[in-house]
Amino acid sequence: MTKVPFLDLSVQHRAIREDLVAAATAVIDSGWYILGGEVQAFEREFAAFCGVKHCIGVGNGLEALQITLRAMNVGPGDEVIVPSNTFIATWLAVTGVGATIVPVEPDPASHNLDPALLEQAITARTKVIIPVHLYGHPADMDPINAVAQRHGLKVIEDAAQAHGALYRGRKAGSLGHAAGFSFYPGKNLGALGDGGAVTTDDDELADQIRLIRNYGSKKKYEHLVKGCNSRLDEMQAALLRVKLRSLEQGNEARRGIVARYVAELANRGIEVVEPLPDTVSSWHLFVVSAADRERLRTHLQDHGVETMIHYPVAPHLQPAYAELDYGGRTFPIAERLQNRVLSLPLFPGMTEQQVDQVLGAIAAWRP
Ligand SMILES: *Cc1c(COP(=O)(O)O)cnc(C)c1O
């Protein structure tokens, strides 16, 4: 039996191989590899794509979030609200600057931060809320921003899964004070290595982030703040510029596959985690929720369909955070979701046969 891989990047890259090679060759021949014309051009193009004034290329998605927190002067003694169900990087960004994690539970239907639970998590020390557009489904930003505004808080979108997603007509990356993107290869806009970016409309914040990512320096050997080294490099920027041109087309291809999955799953009584009304998901992941997740996973595997779990262990249950104390608060929704979610194969360039094989495997499922 042929296997359907969870993700195959090589098909996507084969289709644009000549353009990628030309872009890489130009960088090799340029003799300039860090903070040059390609990074500047990519920053301009990605800012325009997101509909914001500034994009600052950085080393990866985790550092995009962490540097933004540092630029906002968030540190020890400050509290940052994060979802209880997210990839560990959202949490690591907060603890990385020495601030205190305050997890808030998701809405059980959307799996995204529940705005109704925000107010009760806010204290005099709260500085920032980091909603995550999980699976590429935009978080409910209007009520989140309203709460933030009422309490004088900043909002940083974790947009690592949401390149090109829309909330009420506006792009992910333009929905808060700033946003962190990842260009990890498997993301909707992926480099051929690590990369990340911050987007914002705030001139001062953008300046500060530019300083911090480059040793706190604007002028060589003059260091204004204790920065770090987290720069998107010329090679990745050049490759990302090529890939940005087909991002919308790739997201559209994902939506086409999703429509077929959704129709078949409805027949089989498997619950799909859908985006909120008035949003357009980037469909980074196609996630279903099933009480007998393990049996479903084995069934799909037996039919040659590879699946993944995003994420099998919530951050508060990770050994890395064993020492944290949440003042007696527990996170039963995050724990329930970790045991039910299952991600099906979904990537641009998936063949008709691959999609048919997944549909056939779903059709053969007996709940
Ligand atoms: C991928 C991801 C990150 C981190 O990005 P890296 O580039 O791998 O550091 C952060 N948050 C979420 C939700 C992600 O999916």
Side-chain angles (χ1 to χ4, degrees):
M1 183 183 14
T2 50
K3 292 235 185 307
V4 183
F6 179 73
L7 171 65
D8 184 354
L9 293 173
S10 66
V11 259
Q12 204 191 102
H13 291 157
R14 214 172 297 130
I16 52 170
R17 187 171 187 282
E18 278 178 29
D19 292 344
L20 291 173
V21 170
T25 304
V27 172
I28 293 167
D29 292 345
S30 75
W32 191 271
Y33 307 108
I34 296 290
L35 297 185
E38 292 293 340
V39 170
Q40 269 175 21
F42 173 74
E43 289 177 342
R44 214 165 38 237
E45 289 161 9
F46 195 63
F49 176 84
C50 293
V52 294
K53 277 168 80 178
H54 306 282
C55 167
I56 307 101
V58 297
N60 54 62
L62 167 59
E63 288 171 354
L65 296 171
Q66 188 168 321
I67 292 172
T68 304
L69 287 168
R70 285 184 62 182
M72 289 175 173
N73 286 314
V74 175
D78 296 330
E79 293 177 0
V80 177
I81 293 176
V82 296
S84 58
N85 66 321
T86 179
F87 179 56
I88 195 80
T90 320
W91 285 44
L92 287 173
V94 175
T95 46
V97 300
T100 301
I101 293 268
V102 178
V104 165
E105 290 263 77
D107 168 62
S110 74
H111 295 204
N112 269 329
L113 202 56
D114 187 346
L117 302 178
L118 280 175
E119 210 108 45
Q120 66 200 61
I122 292 171
T123 74
R125 293 167 181 267
T126 310
K127 288 282 161 61
V128 173
I129 304 170
I130 309 185
V132 179
H133 306 311
L134 202 63
Y135 319 145
H137 300 354
D140 200 359
M141 293 302 292
D142 282 352
I144 293 170
N145 283 328
V147 172
Q149 196 162 15
R150 213 154 41 240
H151 294 268
L153 310 178
K154 293 274 201 302
V155 174
I156 304 173
E157 299 166 71
D158 182 339
Q161 304 186 354
H163 318 72
L166 291 167
Y167 178 83
R168 302 192 172 158
R170 287 178 300 139
K171 285 258 171 67
S174 73
L175 304 169
H177 293 96
F181 282 92
S182 164
F183 306 124
Y184 178 79
K187 301 292 161 88
N188 291 45
L189 178 60
L192 278 70
D194 273 315
V198 180
T199 54
T200 183
D201 277 323
D202 183 332
D203 300 339
E204 239 172 85
L205 186 71
D207 269 354
Q208 199 62 20
I209 290 168
R210 279 183 201 288
L211 268 185
I212 294 172
R213 76 163 171 186
N214 188 33
Y215 296 120
S217 172
K218 228 179 239 172
K219 236 165 66 190
K220 216 165 172 76
Y221 306 124
E222 182 180 272
H223 304 280
L224 302 173
V225 297
K226 296 183 203 71
C228 63
N229 176 359
S230 179
R231 302 173 298 214
L232 183 66
D233 63 68
E234 288 285 290
M235 182 65 80
Q236 298 308 333
L239 298 169
L240 284 167
R241 291 183 68 200
V242 172
K243 292 190 69 180
L244 180 56
R245 301 203 290 261
S246 52
L247 171 60
E248 289 288 18
Q249 190 191 325
N251 285 353
E252 205 47 56
R254 290 171 189 268
R255 284 175 203 126
I257 299 164
V258 164
R260 298 187 62 196
Y261 282 177
V262 167
E264 190 64 49
L265 285 159
N267 296 334
R268 304 250 63 85
I270 300 173
E271 179 192 335
V272 178
V273 185
E274 302 254 24
L276 291 173
D278 211 5
T279 69
V280 179
S281 179
S282 61
W283 288 103
H284 173 58
L285 297 170
F286 183 85
V287 178
V288 301
S289 174
D292 45 359
R293 190 259 315 272
E294 290 311 316
R295 196 168 68 83
L296 178 59
R297 188 173 204 199
T298 305
H299 167 85
L300 292 171
Q301 195 177 339
D302 291 345
H303 286 74
V305 175
E306 189 185 11
T307 58
M308 301 272 275
I309 295 169
H310 300 92
Y311 296 93
V313 181
H316 71 282
L317 298 175
Q318 295 286 351
Y321 287 115
E323 88 287 358
L324 282 195
D325 147 29
Y326 308 96
R329 295 172 57 232
T330 57
F331 309 101
I333 301 177
E335 289 174 25
R336 182 180 147 86
L337 296 186
Q338 81 181 22
N339 296 325
R340 298 177 69 102
V341 290
L342 189 65
S343 307
L344 271 50
L346 177 63
F347 54 91
M350 245 181 122
T351 65
E352 204 69 16
Q353 290 96 305
Q354 287 174 323
V355 176
D356 285 343
Q357 190 174 333
V358 176
L359 293 174
I362 296 166
W365 168 249
R366 298 288 167 266

